[in-house]
């Protein structure tokens, strides 16, 4: 083995820990878990390993799906998210009233049969506004994560695949972005771009780019030296082809997990930005915005702040739980823990 | 014969797993005499380490199920509470583990780790404990113990670390020392030094030693009595001479390379007996109803081996401490 | 060790320079004239010219950067485009409030994470463990600003136990200082506490399975001593690094918690700066946050190397 090879390997050995610790920092992600069992390896494990290898021919994605369906938390959170998406898409049809429909004389009504979540200071139906707010939350979250996903994965691929100074330059730049508290950076970006929903998407997108770059780079490093990639390089395939046909698909699982968890935090960030008045602008029904309006009436109308907050909480929780379940399934170490066998070894 | 310092009878250890109870140790019995060395031999997973960890209650409590009897200096160990086992640990029975790198705490100095062992059994001023720790380091042959005591484990060589482990084990002046693969992680010259060291300390303190290993070369040099384990059972035991000269059980004979193994065309001296024996040990969750070795046995005698567990019985023509668990002892051994 | 310290210092300086360039860019990326934007209709042409002069906005960009960073190094962050006050003074007035809040939030996070994480690691799959898992998932997902509002509703409104917001200096009245601090600190600390709970759990679980813990038990040490010196000592050392990196997350939370509880700290000021289009003030605040983050992380890494003697050794060998 060349000295370069061994150096790289030792770097990778250090990496997972550093990466894990860093990921703790930003919303989304954390270090690996350790299982309580599995410390005692018995001969039985060998037999299981053989059994598991027999199942390998089933597609990885089918296997992932099977494991996910077996996890009640994953199923429950997926169902919640499905309901949210339906509400997001068909909110207009489902909501009993329009988001800006005002019932004069019915201001600050407490929850009742006609207004399940009460009414706000303009006499608008809080329930309808919460339902219609789902669309704003999901859209802003999805677009923002889309931005960071594309930018971060691209940066991570380039850094991880080419290494050397490209890696250094890109990752140091990501370190710089990482040095700012997420919300403060979003605030600064919005100060430059101006407030509003679209700019909030961009700001959140920038904030969560470094984490995608790091996750992608880390998994590219682990697959870069695998035999099939070396083989396609040797057979003269271009870098572009190798990166998108071979490296990316094999580095995908942690990126998928990160995407799910980042959705949770992007939605949280959108709500926070709208809460401080920099995100979605009135009269659009954003949960964060409704919460800040409700804050002013907290003594008279607790429902104005309670329900939008609850909506944010449930949505974020669902993405987080699903992200955790995905990690369990897609991270091989976790997978072995899940099926209670030492399959990874 | 003197009174044994440790007497184990019908020891069983099971691990609760998601698939059921794994029978890791099944009915092991042995005696350890003061100043004598008992070697327990077997491949990894044969239950040889687990059996000794169980004596001191060092297995994970919710997972391990231990039964049988182990009498140390007149006191029963099995079923004792954690707090009642504590005085035995270190002071009664000391342990040296396989990998001194992972068995020593990386963030504490070795001196401090020895001091902990010294002070674990009764109050002692810090300075006195420190002096005792340095004394112990000197006793296990570490030069310049005063400054070495302030070293962290990663600053010492593998051999030095194992000497530190031995110093820790000796701190409580134990009557029995369990050396669990104590030389496996070391290279050959260091291995010899450690074996010699333990031998010297053993004769000075007349300690009973349980030497757990898979290395028959080590056993031949140091053991008085040998116990061969397979799938948690004792398949053969005897004095070192009896076992090496007249192995009876097909597994022992396979280990010693005294009988040809199938599918191995290489000459005997090139084979590593443990790795070339065909097949794998049985799944401890589903032990075969008969002889555990039956699936790998080159004799494959008959239906009886498959359905009936052969008892451990004395061998005709040997001392009554030479016993084997096989229906088919070869004639005229 | 020395090599590690130097390498780490060099790394931090490089990142710091990059961060300063990013922060410097804030004022220059704003479309339009930042000083006119900040002054709005107020201020005469003379004040405008004076401020422009003072900010050196007519110099070439490179010269401006070096002037800015040069004075920043001496503690001069320029003047507020809005009020003309020195930014450094405005910031230093706010530092104690933010610092008390951040420190208290870390304490809250540790008070949640260490006992809960340890207990759940000691009894995996027990009700405690289940509770820790569920509550940390919830704590991570709950919007802090909403939690803050609900706290105000409950503890300030309905129960009337605590003040709903505001800040009292410690030197003025320690009791009031503490009473005002409780709700914001809990609100800001819950999310970090949740992340750290998981970390402590897996860390303790890992430590419990280590060979050296078995060695310590085999020595005959008291269970309590084994726990303190071999399990927790080793499991909590990595927590130092997480704690450091947690700071970024925590400071993020502090910004919004300050807004919820009318806490006169830097986060609140940063938002006011944005609303007033006071870009020089925003610049100074953002720079301070980034510097705090980088310095704390540097200190934490060096501290970690001290607490775990293997680190500098291994990283030295790895590079």
């Amino acid at each position: 083995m060349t000295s370069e090879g061994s150096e790289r390997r030792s770097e990778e050995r250090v990496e997972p820990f550093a990466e894990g610790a860093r990921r703790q920092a930003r919303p989304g992600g954390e270090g690996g878990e350790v299982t309580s069992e599995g410390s005692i390896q018995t001969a039985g494990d060998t037999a299981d390993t053989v059994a598991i290898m027999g199942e390998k021919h089933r597609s990885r994605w089918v296997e992932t799906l099977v494991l996910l369906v077996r996890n009640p938390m994953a199923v429950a959170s997926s169902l919640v998210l499905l309901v949210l998406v339906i509400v997001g898409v068909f909110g207009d049809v489902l909501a009993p009233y329009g988001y800006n429909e005002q019932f004069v004389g019915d201001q600050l009504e407490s929850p009742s049969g006609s207004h399940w979540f009460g009414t706000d200071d303009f006499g608008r139906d809080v329930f309808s506004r919460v339902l219609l707010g789902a669309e704003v939350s999901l859209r802003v979250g999805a677009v923002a994560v889309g931005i960071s996903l594309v930018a971060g994965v691209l940066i991570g691929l380039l850094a991880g695949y080419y290494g050397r100074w490209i890696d250094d330059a890109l990752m140091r730049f990501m370190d710089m972005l990482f040095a700012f508290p997420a919300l403060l950076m979003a605030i600064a970006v919005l100060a430059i771009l101006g407030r509003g929903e679209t700019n909030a998407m961009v700001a959140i997108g920038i904030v969560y780019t470094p984490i995608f770059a790091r996750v992608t780079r880390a998994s590219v490093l682990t697959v870069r030296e695998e035999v099939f990639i070396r083989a396609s390089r040797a057979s003269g395939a271009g870098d572009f082809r190798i990166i998108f046909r071979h490296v990316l698909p094999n580095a995908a699982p942690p990126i998928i997990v990160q995407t799910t968890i980042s959705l949770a935090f992007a939605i949280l960030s959108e709500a926070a930005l709208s809460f401080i008045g920099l995100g979605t602008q009135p009269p659009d029904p954003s949960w964060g915005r409704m919460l800040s309006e409700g804050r002013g009436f907290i003594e008279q109308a607790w429902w104005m702040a309670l329900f939008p907050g609850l909506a944010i909480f449930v949505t974020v929780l669902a993405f987080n739980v699903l992200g955790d379940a995905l990690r369990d399934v897609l991270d091989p170490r976790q997978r072995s823990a899940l099926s209670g066998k030492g399959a990874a070894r | 014969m003197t009174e044994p310092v440790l007497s184990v009878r019908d020891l069983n250890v099971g691990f609760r797993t998601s698939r059921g109870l794994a029978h890791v140790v099944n009915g092991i019995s042995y005696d350890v005499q003061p100043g004598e060395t008992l070697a327990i031999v077997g491949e990894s997973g044969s239950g040889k380490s687990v059996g000794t960890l169980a004596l001191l209650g060092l297995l994970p409590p919710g997972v391990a199920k231990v039964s049988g009897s182990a009498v140390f200096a007149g006191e029963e160990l099995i079923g004792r509470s954690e707090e009642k086992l504590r005085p035995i640990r270190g002071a009664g029975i000391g342990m040296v583990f396989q990998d001194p790198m992972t068995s020593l705490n990386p963030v504490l100095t070795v001196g401090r780790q020895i001091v902990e062992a010294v002070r674990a059994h009764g109050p002692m001023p810090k300075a006195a404990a420190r002096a005792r720790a340095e004394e112990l380091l000197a006793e296990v042959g570490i030069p310049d113990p005063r400054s070495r005591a302030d070293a962290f484990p990663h600053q010492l060589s593998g051999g030095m670390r194992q000497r530190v482990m031995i110093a820790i084990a000796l701190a409580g002046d134990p009557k029995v020392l369990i050396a669990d693969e104590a030389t496996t992680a070391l290279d050959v010259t260091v291995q010899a030094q450690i074996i010699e060291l333990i031998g010297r300390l053993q004769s000075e303190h007349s300690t009973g030693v349980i030497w757990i290993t898979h290395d028959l070369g080590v056993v031949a040099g140091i053991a008085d009595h040998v116990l061969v384990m397979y799938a948690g059972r004792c398949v053969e035991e005897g004095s070192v001479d009896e076992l090496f000269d007249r192995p009876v059980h097909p597994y022992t004979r396979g280990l010693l390379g005294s009988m040809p193994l199938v599918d191995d065309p290489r000459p005997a001296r090139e084979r590593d007996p443990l790795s070339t024996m065909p097949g794998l040990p049985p799944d401890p969750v589903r032990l075969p109803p008969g002889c555990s070795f039956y699936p790998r046995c080159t004799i494959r005698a008959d239906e009886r081996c498959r359905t009936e567990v052969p008892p451990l019985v004395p061998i005709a023509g040997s001392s009554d401490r030479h016993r084997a668990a096989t229906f088919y002892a070869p004639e005229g051994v | 060790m020395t090599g590690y310290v130097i390498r780490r210092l060099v790394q931090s300086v490089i990142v710091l320079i990059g961060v300063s360039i990013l922060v410097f860019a804030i004022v220059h990326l704003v479309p339009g004239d930042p000083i006119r934007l900040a002054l709005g209709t107020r201020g005469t042409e003379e004040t405008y010219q004076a401020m422009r002069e003072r900010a050196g906005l007519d110099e070439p960009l490179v010269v401006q950067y070096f002037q800015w960073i040069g004075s920043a190094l001496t503690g001069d962050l320029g003047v507020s485009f809005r009020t003309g006050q020195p930014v450094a003074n405005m910031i230093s007035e706010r530092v104690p409030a933010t610092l008390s809040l951040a420190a208290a939030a870390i304490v809250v996070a540790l008070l949640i994470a260490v006992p809960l994480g340890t207990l759940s690691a000691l009894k995996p799959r027990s009700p405690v463990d289940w509770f820790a898992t569920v509550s940390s998932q919830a704590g991570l997902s709950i919007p802090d600003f909403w939690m803050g509002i609900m706290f105000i509703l409950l503890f300030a409104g309905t129960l009337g136990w605590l003040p709903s917001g505001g800040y009292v200096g410690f030197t003025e009245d320690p009791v009031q200082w503490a009473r005002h601090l409780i709700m914001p600190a809990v609100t800001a600390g819950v999310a970090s506490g949740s992340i750290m709970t998981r970390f402590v759990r897996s860390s303790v679980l890992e430590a419990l399975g280590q060979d050296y813990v078995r060695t310590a038990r085999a020595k005959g040490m008291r269970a309590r001593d084994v726990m303190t010196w071999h399990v927790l000592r080793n499991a909590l050392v990595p927590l130092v690094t997480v704690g450091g990196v947690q700071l970024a997350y925590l400071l993020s939370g502090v910004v919004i918690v300050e807004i919820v509880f009318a806490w006169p700290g830097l986060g609140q000021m940063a938002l006011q700066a944005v609303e007033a289009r006071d870009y020089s003030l925003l610049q100074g605040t953002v720079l301070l946050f980034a510097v705090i983050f980088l310095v704390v992380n540097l200190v934490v890494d060096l501290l970690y190397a001290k607490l775990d003697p293997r680190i500098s050794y291994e990283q030295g060998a790895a590079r």
Side-chain angles (χ1 to χ4, degrees):
Chain A
M1 169 155 292
T2 63
S3 64
E4 198 215 343
S6 58
E7 200 180 300
R8 190 176 304 122
R9 278 199 327 178
S10 51
E11 187 193 340
E12 276 160 30
R13 241 183 293 125
V14 178
E15 201 69 27
F17 178 74
E19 213 62 42
R22 285 287 142 93
R23 255 183 274 163
Q24 301 266 346
R26 279 288 150 116
E30 50 157 19
E33 283 250 315
V34 190
T35 47
S36 53
E37 293 168 58
S39 48
I40 300 145
Q41 180 133 14
T42 56
D45 288 341
T46 330
D48 289 329
T49 313
V50 175
I52 291 219
M53 299 222 292
E55 289 170 14
K56 265 277 159 66
H57 64 261
R58 254 201 318 196
S59 145
R60 194 169 76 185
W61 302 111
V62 174
E63 194 187 338
T64 303
L65 209 66
V66 169
L67 283 173
L68 267 186
V69 172
R70 274 196 221 142
N71 179 347
M73 295 302 272
V75 174
S77 55
S78 303
L79 284 178
V80 170
L81 291 175
L82 185 70
V83 170
L84 276 165
V85 170
I86 292 173
V87 168
V89 175
F90 300 105
D92 295 345
V93 188
L94 294 170
Y97 308 103
Y99 71 87
N100 209 19
E101 198 177 335
Q102 300 176 10
F103 296 86
V104 184
D106 280 352
Q107 285 96 338
L108 300 178
E109 288 278 314
S110 57
S112 65
S114 53
H115 299 292
W116 291 359
F117 292 176
T119 61
D120 68 7
D121 50 324
F122 289 106
R124 295 176 297 193
D125 180 52
V126 174
F127 179 64
S128 301
R129 285 177 63 79
V130 167
L131 284 191
L132 292 160
E135 193 260 343
V136 177
S137 258
L138 292 176
R139 181 162 42 83
V140 176
V143 174
V145 171
I147 292 170
S148 24
L149 179 71
V150 171
V153 167
L154 219 57
I155 292 170
L157 281 174
L158 293 176
Y161 186 77
Y162 290 107
R164 294 164 183 278
W165 67 269
I166 299 183
D167 185 18
D168 276 339
L170 289 173
M171 293 325 284
R172 283 302 85 75
F173 182 59
M174 291 296 110
D175 284 351
M176 289 164 199
L177 292 187
F178 226 77
F180 301 97
L183 190 65
L184 196 66
M185 181 150 90
I187 290 175
V189 173
L190 287 175
I192 296 165
L193 298 178
R195 56 190 71 194
E197 195 180 289
T198 314
N199 290 341
M201 293 178 191
V202 176
I204 299 168
I206 294 174
V207 167
Y208 291 103
T209 296
I211 183 72
F212 278 98
R214 285 199 168 160
V215 169
T216 308
R217 174 178 175 273
S219 50
V220 169
L221 284 181
T222 61
V223 299
R224 184 173 65 174
E225 295 306 317
E226 300 225 352
V227 177
F228 63 92
I229 287 172
R230 289 220 304 265
S232 51
R233 202 180 295 152
S235 70
D239 282 351
F240 188 82
R241 190 185 153 81
I242 294 173
I243 290 176
F244 286 96
R245 288 289 298 275
H246 301 294
V247 176
L248 187 56
N250 282 286
I255 300 173
I256 294 172
V257 173
Q258 190 57 48
T259 305
T260 315
I261 292 171
S262 295
L263 275 168
F265 287 97
I267 287 171
L268 211 48
S269 300
E270 187 277 330
L273 288 175
S274 298
F275 176 77
I276 58 180
L278 297 178
T280 309
Q281 298 299 309
D284 287 358
S286 152
W287 291 336
R289 183 84 214 171
M290 293 166 71
L291 199 50
S292 80
E293 287 159 2
R295 187 177 153 218
F297 298 92
I298 192 71
E299 306 275 313
Q300 306 97 302
W302 51 267
W303 52 90
M304 273 180 72
L306 178 74
F307 294 110
L310 214 52
I312 303 170
F313 180 40
V314 169
T315 310
V316 174
L317 187 64
F319 276 113
N320 267 334
V321 170
L322 182 63
D324 255 23
L326 274 172
R327 196 208 326 267
D328 287 351
V329 173
L330 291 174
D331 183 334
R333 265 189 314 163
Q334 278 288 350
R335 189 195 312 217
S336 65
L338 199 74
S339 34
K341 297 154 188 170
R345 265 150 290 168
Chain B
M1 191 187 282
T2 50
E3 188 74 2
V5 59
L6 174 68
S7 184
V8 174
R9 288 291 171 273
D10 195 28
L11 182 71
N12 289 283
V13 182
F15 284 119
R16 296 181 183 89
T17 73
S18 52
R19 299 177 307 128
L21 197 66
H23 304 273
V24 182
V25 175
N26 305 296
I28 294 292
S29 304
Y30 55 81
D31 289 330
V32 179
Q33 309 290 343
E36 266 193 23
T37 300
L38 166 73
I40 300 180
V41 185
E43 47 197 318
S44 60
S46 62
K48 57 191 192 303
S49 297
V50 168
T52 48
L53 289 172
L55 302 181
L56 289 177
L58 293 175
L59 296 170
V63 181
K65 197 167 161 275
V66 182
S67 65
S69 153
V71 177
F72 170 80
E75 293 184 85
E76 177 61 52
L77 300 181
I78 307 299
R80 273 195 173 210
S81 70
E82 185 76 10
E83 210 28 52
K84 287 231 170 98
L85 273 172
R86 207 170 65 74
I88 311 282
R89 293 177 186 159
I93 302 177
M95 292 197 84
V96 177
F97 296 104
Q98 171 173 357
D99 187 347
M101 184 75 231
T102 60
S103 298
L104 290 172
N105 190 330
V107 306
L108 301 178
T109 63
V110 297
R112 144 122 214 186
Q113 295 186 59
I114 301 171
V115 166
E116 282 179 345
V118 171
R119 298 179 80 192
H121 303 285
M124 186 189 269
K126 273 200 173 136
R130 166 76 191 203
R132 173 84 183 117
E134 285 169 16
E135 212 176 286
L136 283 162
L137 282 174
E139 196 176 344
V140 296
I142 288 187
D144 192 13
R146 179 149 300 173
S147 67
R148 287 303 166 90
D150 293 322
F152 288 99
H154 69 263
Q155 293 166 329
L156 301 178
S157 70
M160 286 289 180
R161 286 197 283 262
Q162 197 57 294
R163 286 173 194 265
V164 170
M165 279 299 296
I166 294 169
I168 289 173
L170 292 179
D173 201 9
K175 302 212 166 32
V176 173
L177 182 71
I178 299 173
D180 186 352
E181 299 273 12
T183 59
T184 308
L186 308 173
D187 62 46
V188 183
T189 41
V190 182
Q191 199 172 339
Q193 290 166 9
I194 297 292
I195 290 170
E196 202 245 68
L197 171 67
I198 292 181
R200 179 166 59 78
L201 298 169
Q202 175 179 24
S203 54
E204 281 167 16
H205 302 265
S206 110
T207 318
V209 172
I210 300 179
W211 195 288
I212 298 168
T213 183
H214 67 271
D215 186 343
L216 287 160
V218 170
V219 173
I222 57 165
D224 298 302
H225 195 76
V226 183
L227 196 145
V228 180
M229 279 183 76
Y230 184 78
R233 292 198 178 107
C234 173
V235 292
E236 184 163 3
E237 64 167 319
S239 72
V240 71
D241 294 336
E242 287 165 337
L243 211 85
F244 276 76
D245 295 346
R246 297 185 297 278
V248 169
H249 196 278
Y251 180 67
T252 319
R253 298 172 71 199
L255 286 183
L256 290 167
S258 65
M259 58 195 280
L261 296 165
V262 287
D263 300 332
D264 192 350
R266 289 172 301 165
R269 64 191 151 79
E270 281 179 24
R271 288 180 220 134
D272 173 6
L274 281 166
S275 64
T276 54
M277 203 167 298
L280 290 167
D283 179 353
V285 177
R286 297 185 204 87
L287 283 181
C291 175
S292 317
F293 191 61
Y294 174 78
R296 286 171 89 181
C297 187
T298 46
I299 302 176
R300 292 264 177 144
D302 58 14
E303 193 57 20
R304 193 175 163 208
C305 296
R306 205 176 64 80
T307 53
E308 215 178 299
V309 181
L312 194 60
V313 290
I315 302 303
S318 270
S319 80
D320 63 343
R321 288 187 73 197
H322 185 196
R323 303 186 297 167
T326 174
F327 295 122
Y328 294 95
E331 300 291 324
V333 281
Chain C
M1 181 74 192
T2 332
Y4 173 72
V5 172
I6 292 170
R7 204 168 37 243
R8 203 55 196 75
L9 276 173
V10 170
Q11 237 176 33
S12 305
V13 169
I14 293 174
V15 173
L16 193 60
I17 292 171
V19 161
S20 70
I21 295 173
L22 285 180
V23 173
F24 173 73
I26 291 179
V27 165
H28 301 270
L29 286 173
V30 176
D33 184 330
I35 296 186
R36 273 215 201 285
L37 283 171
L39 285 176
T41 50
R42 306 171 312 128
T44 59
E45 191 59 25
E46 286 86 67
T47 17
Y48 169 74
Q49 284 303 340
M51 268 192 188
R52 212 173 155 80
E53 185 86 352
R54 172 82 166 80
L57 289 180
D58 296 320
E59 308 276 352
L61 269 185
V62 182
V63 176
Q64 279 189 49
Y65 172 73
F66 281 106
Q67 280 175 349
W68 175 72
I69 197 75
S71 25
L73 284 174
T74 63
D76 175 10
L77 293 168
V79 293
S80 156
F81 288 171
R82 183 84 170 187
T83 62
Q85 272 186 295
V87 168
N89 291 3
M90 296 174 77
I91 287 178
S92 57
E93 275 170 26
R94 301 273 185 142
V95 165
T98 294
L99 227 55
S100 335
L101 179 52
I106 290 176
V107 171
V108 169
L110 286 173
L111 285 179
I112 296 172
V114 174
L116 197 56
T118 307
L119 280 177
S120 68
L122 286 179
K123 297 205 180 306
R125 279 154 215 210
S126 67
V128 180
D129 189 24
W130 183 85
F131 173 77
T133 309
V134 171
S135 62
S136 71
Q137 192 68 267
L140 199 58
S141 305
I142 195 164
D144 36 16
F145 43 97
W146 180 59
M147 186 166 55
I149 293 172
M150 292 298 124
F151 278 167
I152 293 174
L153 176 63
L154 185 63
F155 296 109
T158 311
L159 297 171
W161 291 349
L162 293 166
S164 68
Y167 169 77
V168 175
F170 180 77
T171 44
E172 286 167 53
D173 184 347
V175 175
Q176 282 306 316
W177 171 82
R179 275 170 53 85
H180 282 81
L181 191 55
I182 293 174
M183 281 201 294
V186 172
T187 310
V190 160
S192 293
S194 303
I195 298 178
M196 278 150 85
T197 301
R198 295 167 167 211
F199 186 82
V200 171
R201 179 183 183 273
S202 61
S203 198
V204 169
L205 217 45
E206 192 183 330
L208 280 171
Q210 294 294 321
D211 288 351
Y212 55 75
V213 172
R214 188 181 60 187
T215 307
R217 295 178 65 210
K219 282 179 202 174
M221 287 175 76
R222 273 172 228 285
R224 199 184 54 220
D225 292 339
V226 175
M227 197 62 204
T228 313
W229 293 107
H230 292 272
V231 177
L232 289 181
R233 165 74 214 266
N234 288 60
L236 298 187
V237 163
L239 189 66
V240 174
T241 52
V242 190
V245 203
Q246 273 298 308
L247 196 74
Y249 192 34
L250 200 90
L251 288 177
S252 221
V254 164
V255 170
I256 202 150
V257 168
E258 285 185 357
I259 294 163
V260 172
F261 289 97
W263 191 262
L266 293 166
Q268 200 196 38
M269 192 169 71
L271 185 68
Q272 284 164 357
V274 172
E275 274 163 1
R277 297 167 183 270
D278 193 344
Y279 294 101
S280 54
L281 181 58
L282 179 66
Q283 202 174 39
T285 320
V286 172
L287 183 69
L288 183 73
F289 270 105
V291 169
I292 291 176
F293 174 78
L294 288 174
V295 169
V296 169
N297 269 288
L298 180 67
V299 170
V300 155
D301 278 7
L302 299 183
L303 193 67
Y304 187 45
K306 177 101 186 116
L307 287 174
D308 188 339
R310 286 167 307 170
I311 294 302
S312 49
Y313 175 81
E314 277 172 8
Q315 299 213 335
R319 298 271 154 90

